Amino acid sequence: MAREKKRAELQISGMHCASCALNVERALQSRDGVYDAQVDLASGTATVDYDPAGTTIADLEKTVGEAGYGVVKNRVTLKIGGMVCVSCAQVIEMSLQDLDGVSEARVNLATESASVTYNPELVTIGDMKAAIEDAGYRCLGIEGEVPEDAEAAARERDLADMFRRFAVGFAVSIPLFLITVFQVPALIELPVSINVIMLVITLPVIAYVGTPIFTAAAAALRNRTLNMDVMYSMGIGVAYGASVLGTTGIVLTPTFNFYETAVMLASFFTLGRYLEARAKGRTSEAIRKLIGLSPRTATVVRNGQERAVPIEDVQVGDTVLVRPGEKVPVDGTVTGGESSVDESVITGEPIPVYKQPGDTAVGGTLNRNGVLRIRAEKVGKDTALAQIIRLVREAQTSKPPVQRIADVAVGYFIPTVLAIAIAAFFIWYVGLGATLLFALTILIAVLVVACPCALGLATPTAVTVGIGRGAELGVLIRNGEALEISEKLTTIVFDKTGTLTRGRPDVTDVIPVGMPEEGLLAVAAGVETNSQHPLAEAIVRRARSAGVRIPDAEHFTTFGGKGVAAAVGNEEILIGNRALMLERDVPLSPEIEDRITALQDEGKTVVLVALGGMPRGIVGIADTLKESAKDAIAGLKRMGLSVMMITGDNARTANAIARQIGIDTVLAEVLPQDKAREVQRLQGRGEVVAFVGDGINDAPALAQADVGVAIGSGTDIAIESGDVVLIRDDLNDAVAAVQLSRKVMTRIKQNIFWAFAYNATLIPLAAGLLYPFFGITFRPELAALAMALSSATVVSLSLLLKAYRPPAKKEVS
């Protein structure tokens, strides 16, 4: 089979001379899957012919980046109306990709949108709108700029129109069907032929119900494509045309009476579209909920006066007033007031968070019981909520590699079905000597039973619902490819500092020697208050959290890298490591030495406290593990995954941490710049690797991993740093991300299996395969009903994901 060829145009930045253009050209030509690449220095454009099965636009952009240059690109998502099946999506994709300057176009049937990557110097949004409308569809505008109310109203109008059409169709076709089945004309005398009566009754009905179908079929043929509208138009046209010919006695006899069948076919087809459209509308509920979190207005304080203004008019630096029961309209810092704020819609954390001056506030969260004054620091598209909405929208338009199976199958599906229908007609009529009426019935049944829509909806509906569900759970999956790879993971590598641990030292052990613990903390904190060292800050925090009164210290002295000394009252206090104690002749008993060794074996830093030259206490300090770390590691192991930890710490400390949480494999003393190399080494052994890091210091490793998981905290979301972004600082969400990905991929496979099984079973049945053995045929009306239910079934199966809650979330709820 000949490989597919596509052309992409990339706008390159950073080229200053002919050598630069040559470097980019050679880099692109050396990439697998690229047939040819030509770079024009004057326009800064690289024209690339490539095989989409072997490489992607993202791969080409990455190649340009690795060569030391950049790719200038704009991306826009357009809302589209009038799409009814996967063939429609393919037509729009081809129409957009034919435009000069469009490097990639992805159309999502489930969200009824097109994500277009383009060069703004070569093509405009207006050009794209014109291409969509020339293809016979409606461009509703840019996503985000089309009001949700207007979009919902348009959807309701379309649904109401379809409902009226199939209701009229069934109101006429069902009585006619019953009249035919019970042979009413044979029981009563009619002034004219029943065929003439049916013609008069059904003509306006078929025109009303069938017009959208025939119009869409004509548009498809103008675009040189075959879709469901074409197949149904053929089926309805053959049935109704044969009936008219039979009624008028031209070629056929009056026994060819398919009037009620033709109307019923159009009605079932419209019913199927109605059910499918209703179900599709529910697949994007998650994104609509997120959009609904943002208030339409805000109360700002300007020149000492409170004013209610549209949210679009709030500016950075404005003071925003948020009363109880109102939603926070911006991201910012609390400057006045105190209140509890429900952040569950963003972080998934059900317990309201107490806010006071100096704390951060997140747009979209709900103020519970106090009045807050917030200084706006991020507004509009820069807020955390807006970034989450953007990420989810982009992810929902992405295609996992598994969808290529369905895309290829759909490309061959309709021509194959047409061939089967025609072949079945001639085999029965010419080969097996069946009547023309029987053969024609077989032809119509095959045309209307086939359903490529179920195949085309199998993946995008599951991806849309799954990614939306992830957003509700605080797990942001950036693209469909991450879903598919997550299912194939074999190894999870965790960074230690800031990921498995809290990223700051805390006191873990206070062991007094000959004095109360409170007194030990008091004198230690009194001395350490004068130090800026992280270990000193840990001791002061512990004393304050314990409610200890911290005394003043005098004559503060430091001993470079070993410790400090000061006077508290009349006592000389010495705080530091073992070497400092020995240097200052502080005696350490065997029992104290054993305690020091035990703490160090646990990966803790030991601080000793001496008063008047005698040891009075031992303080163990460590970067403490997050509460969720142990459960998360156990959950991943239960899923059959190998779990590793990577850190720059020494092996002794690293292994101590790993033992506490059940990690068996540790890569210690690895410099930050070498973490990506360790991930690459694992991939070289055939492992499919996910790297979990903080998204700030681990960017190279996150990019190198098959799936990069960036873990954040509240609004501290490194959106661009990982394939999966966890909003909450909870490692159980990393487990939930893998579980959700596996569930979505399982549902996609079930959908694809159903779609293939449906067509593989019913097309032969409609072609009369069982008739010679059991006398079973498949009436066209029943075939149309089966088709109507098939795509609705696929969408409904995907919608079940809305209720899915990963086990990792249940365990911690």
Side-chain angles (χ1 to χ4, degrees):
M1 181 185 297
R3 293 196 296 172
E4 185 180 356
K5 181 186 287 189
K6 283 191 176 182
R7 172 165 290 181
E9 290 185 350
L10 307 178
Q11 188 70 22
I12 311 298
S13 62
M15 294 193 300
H16 307 292
C17 61
S19 296
C20 298
L22 186 61
N23 289 339
V24 174
E25 201 169 271
R26 286 174 175 171
L28 289 168
Q29 288 172 343
S30 65
R31 179 159 195 97
D32 290 341
V34 171
Y35 300 117
D36 187 33
Q38 301 292 329
V39 178
D40 180 45
L41 180 62
S43 64
T45 302
T47 303
V48 188
D49 293 326
Y50 68 101
D51 176 10
T55 193
T56 65
I57 297 294
D59 294 332
L60 299 178
E61 292 171 352
K62 183 178 179 181
T63 299
V64 173
E66 290 170 348
Y69 304 91
V71 177
V72 179
K73 59 180 181 179
N74 283 13
R75 179 173 291 165
V76 66
T77 300
L78 303 174
K79 296 298 291 183
I80 298 173
M83 288 196 299
V84 291
C85 69
V86 66
S87 298
C88 300
Q90 291 177 338
V91 167
I92 295 171
E93 274 189 3
M94 289 187 293
S95 299
L96 290 169
Q97 288 172 344
D98 284 343
L99 293 173
D100 290 336
V102 171
S103 56
E104 184 180 35
R106 296 196 309 263
V107 177
N108 189 308
L109 179 60
T111 59
E112 298 179 308
S113 61
S115 176
V116 188
T117 304
Y118 67 102
N119 179 351
E121 295 183 5
L122 299 176
V123 68
T124 66
I125 303 296
D127 296 332
M128 298 177 205
K129 290 181 178 178
I132 292 168
E133 288 166 2
D134 288 346
Y137 303 91
R138 302 192 307 275
C139 182
L140 304 178
I142 299 173
E143 190 171 58
E145 296 181 7
V146 181
E148 283 295 309
D149 294 343
E151 195 176 325
R155 187 182 304 111
E156 288 303 318
R157 282 197 302 272
D158 287 344
L159 286 171
D161 180 67
M162 285 189 282
F163 181 86
R164 285 192 297 270
R165 291 180 189 273
F166 77 70
V168 169
F170 284 130
V172 172
S173 61
I174 291 176
L176 292 181
F177 176 75
L178 294 175
I179 288 171
T180 303
V181 169
F182 293 106
Q183 298 181 347
V184 173
L187 303 178
I188 59 177
E189 186 175 342
L190 298 172
V192 293
S193 164
I194 185 62
N195 288 26
V196 174
I197 295 173
M198 284 190 169
L199 172 61
V200 173
I201 292 173
T202 59
L203 187 58
V205 177
I206 200 72
Y208 176 63
V209 181
T211 293
I213 304 170
F214 287 106
T215 302
L221 292 174
R222 283 199 306 271
N223 289 300
R224 300 185 301 279
T225 187
L226 298 173
N227 62 11
M228 283 290 291
D229 296 284
V230 174
M231 291 177 62
Y232 256 75
S233 294
M234 290 177 65
I236 296 167
V238 168
Y240 204 82
S243 302
V244 172
L245 291 176
T247 301
T248 57
I250 302 173
V251 181
L252 302 179
T253 65
T255 55
F256 289 82
N257 185 344
F258 294 107
Y259 287 117
E260 83 289 351
T261 299
V263 176
M264 201 169 280
L265 293 181
S267 303
F268 273 127
F269 186 73
T270 307
L271 172 63
R273 289 282 163 81
Y274 174 82
L275 295 174
E276 184 182 310
R278 278 187 59 116
K280 278 196 303 181
R282 294 179 58 204
T283 63
S284 296
E285 280 182 4
I287 198 74
R288 288 197 288 274
K289 285 180 182 177
L290 287 172
I291 293 170
L293 294 177
S294 181
R296 302 289 179 88
T297 61
T299 302
V300 299
V301 181
R302 293 175 181 166
N303 300 321
Q305 294 185 334
E306 297 177 13
R307 295 174 54 194
V309 301
I311 190 68
E312 296 83 8
D313 293 344
V314 180
Q315 301 174 1
V316 172
D318 277 343
T319 296
V320 179
L321 195 68
V322 187
R323 296 183 175 85
E326 293 181 345
K327 291 176 181 176
V328 178
V330 297
D331 290 357
T333 301
V334 177
T335 59
E338 298 177 355
S339 182
S340 294
V341 177
D342 182 356
E343 297 184 340
S344 60
V345 292
I346 301 294
T347 66
E349 184 61 52
I351 301 174
V353 180
Y354 180 71
K355 299 289 182 180
Q356 59 186 357
D359 290 340
T360 58
V362 190
T365 55
L366 181 65
N367 184 25
R368 285 290 190 188
N369 49 20
V371 178
L372 292 175
R373 286 176 178 261
I374 300 170
R375 182 177 64 251
E377 294 171 353
K378 290 183 179 179
V379 300
K381 63 182 178 60
D382 296 325
T383 63
L385 177 60
Q387 291 185 65
I388 292 170
I389 291 170
R390 175 181 62 82
L391 185 150
V392 173
R393 276 176 163 160
E394 290 179 356
Q396 288 182 333
T397 61
S398 64
K399 293 182 180 181
V402 71
Q403 189 168 343
R404 292 174 187 166
I405 300 171
D407 288 345
V408 171
V410 167
Y412 292 101
F413 184 89
I414 294 178
T416 301
V417 171
L418 287 174
I420 292 172
I422 294 169
F425 173 82
F426 281 107
I427 288 172
W428 280 108
Y429 184 58
V430 179
L432 299 177
T435 65
L436 180 59
L437 179 62
F438 182 87
L440 206 58
T441 304
I442 292 291
L443 172 69
I444 297 169
V446 173
L447 287 174
V448 301
V449 77
C451 186
C453 292
L455 201 53
L457 287 166
T459 300
T461 53
V463 168
T464 299
V465 178
I467 287 175
R469 180 57 178 152
E472 292 175 345
L473 296 171
V475 177
L476 305 181
I477 300 169
R478 293 191 62 199
N479 53 67
E481 188 172 1
L483 281 172
E484 185 163 345
I485 296 175
S486 294
E487 188 205 25
K488 302 173 183 176
L489 291 175
T490 60
T491 301
I492 310 284
V493 179
F494 283 90
D495 179 52
K496 182 183 80 70
T497 306
T499 301
L500 290 170
T501 65
R502 298 185 185 281
R504 72 173 191 182
D506 283 311
V507 172
T508 58
D509 302 88
V510 179
I511 305 170
V513 178
M515 68 181 301
E517 179 177 321
E518 183 177 336
L520 175 63
L521 279 174
V523 296
V527 174
E528 296 288 23
T529 300
N530 299 283
S531 173
Q532 302 299 315
H533 194 281
L535 297 182
E537 292 174 351
I539 291 173
V540 174
R541 276 199 309 273
R542 174 61 178 268
R544 286 175 176 163
S545 67
V548 173
R549 189 182 70 82
I550 300 175
D552 294 329
E554 301 175 330
H555 312 303
F556 182 79
T557 306
T558 63
F559 303 93
K562 296 180 181 178
V564 296
V568 175
N570 297 322
E571 292 280 0
E572 180 188 351
I573 313 296
L574 184 68
I575 302 176
N577 58 22
R578 182 175 179 277
L580 178 63
M581 297 297 151
L582 295 178
E583 186 180 296
R584 300 296 296 273
D585 296 324
V586 175
L588 301 177
S589 66
E591 182 181 359
I592 291 176
E593 292 280 13
D594 289 343
R595 289 291 188 108
I596 292 171
T597 302
L599 290 172
Q600 289 177 335
D601 285 342
E602 294 174 9
K604 298 174 182 177
T605 299
V606 176
V607 175
L608 300 171
V609 181
L611 279 70
M614 296 300 293
R616 291 304 183 197
I618 306 169
V619 179
I621 301 176
D623 182 4
T624 54
L625 287 162
K626 293 177 181 176
E627 293 178 0
S628 57
K630 190 170 184 178
D631 288 341
I633 301 305
L636 291 169
K637 283 186 167 183
R638 284 195 296 271
M639 295 165 66
L641 295 168
S642 172
V643 183
M644 304 174 68
M645 184 179 79
I646 191 166
T647 178
D649 285 352
N650 63 71
R652 183 179 185 181
T653 300
N655 283 312
I657 293 287
R659 282 196 298 272
Q660 292 180 53
I661 53 178
I663 292 180
D664 301 319
T665 306
V666 177
L667 302 173
E669 300 178 30
V670 179
L671 296 175
Q673 62 267 29
D674 294 331
K675 291 179 181 178
R677 191 175 298 119
E678 291 294 334
V679 171
Q680 191 174 27
R681 185 176 60 81
L682 289 169
Q683 291 169 326
R685 289 175 8 202
E687 302 289 340
V688 182
V689 182
F691 186 93
V692 186
D694 60 16
I696 301 168
N697 302 315
D698 303 316
L702 286 165
Q704 176 61 47
D706 297 287
V707 177
V709 181
I711 186 165
S713 177
T715 60
D716 185 20
I717 305 166
I719 291 290
E720 303 301 330
S721 58
D723 302 299
V724 177
V725 180
L726 310 180
I727 297 178
R728 293 197 305 161
D729 192 8
D730 185 346
L731 290 170
N732 282 301
D733 285 354
V735 187
V738 179
Q739 292 170 339
L740 176 63
S741 297
R742 290 185 172 185
K743 185 70 174 180
V744 172
M745 289 307 302
T746 298
R747 187 53 42 85
I748 288 173
K749 291 174 182 176
Q750 289 172 345
N751 285 350
I752 290 175
F753 172 80
W754 161 258
F756 274 117
Y758 164 84
N759 285 291
T761 302
L762 294 191
I763 290 175
L765 182 60
L769 185 65
L770 298 182
Y771 185 75
F773 309 103
F774 306 104
I776 296 174
T777 58
F778 205 18
R779 288 184 62 91
E781 299 92 331
L782 295 177
L785 174 61
M787 186 286 304
L789 296 177
S790 62
S791 54
T793 300
V794 164
V795 180
S796 299
L797 286 172
S798 295
L799 286 171
L800 292 176
L801 290 169
K802 288 166 62 67
Y804 176 70
R805 188 170 185 84
K809 303 292 284 188
K810 294 177 183 176
E811 292 166 6
V812 297
S813 59

